[in-house]
Structures are given as C-alpha cells and as structure tokens.
Amino acid sequence: MPTVLVPDRRWALLLGVLGVTGGSWLLWQAYEARGRGRPWYMRALPGV
C-alpha cells in the first residue's frame, strides 16, 4: 500500500486545489502577463 503524505482527505484536497491554482497563476505570470505566448505543451496542463 502506498504511503499517504497527508492523512486527512479534506486537507489533501485543499492542498491539491491550492497547488493547481497557485501553479496556474505562476505560469500566467511567466507568459501572459509578460506579453509572451505560451508554448504548445502548456495547453495540456490543467488550469492553464
């Protein structure tokens, strides 16, 4: 059985949502906010 890093399900969901949201915001800052187009492989990432 795999090791569980976050034992509480709600905390795991919250951390996952925050991770996707924060990562999407950082990728937006890296490309769109600077007026650059996203690379083709960025379109496959969730929330980008």
Side-chain angles (χ1 to χ4, degrees):
M1 184 158 210
T3 302
V4 177
L5 296 176
V6 182
D8 185 42
R9 180 182 167 270
R10 289 184 184 205
W11 274 107
L13 287 172
L14 178 65
L15 291 174
V17 168
L18 289 175
V20 169
T21 303
S24 297
W25 182 73
L26 289 172
L27 288 171
W28 180 82
Q29 286 286 316
Y31 291 103
E32 303 292 333
R34 297 182 192 327
R36 298 183 62 190
R38 289 178 292 161
W40 63 270
Y41 54 84
M42 289 287 181
R43 295 184 184 107
L45 296 174
V48 178

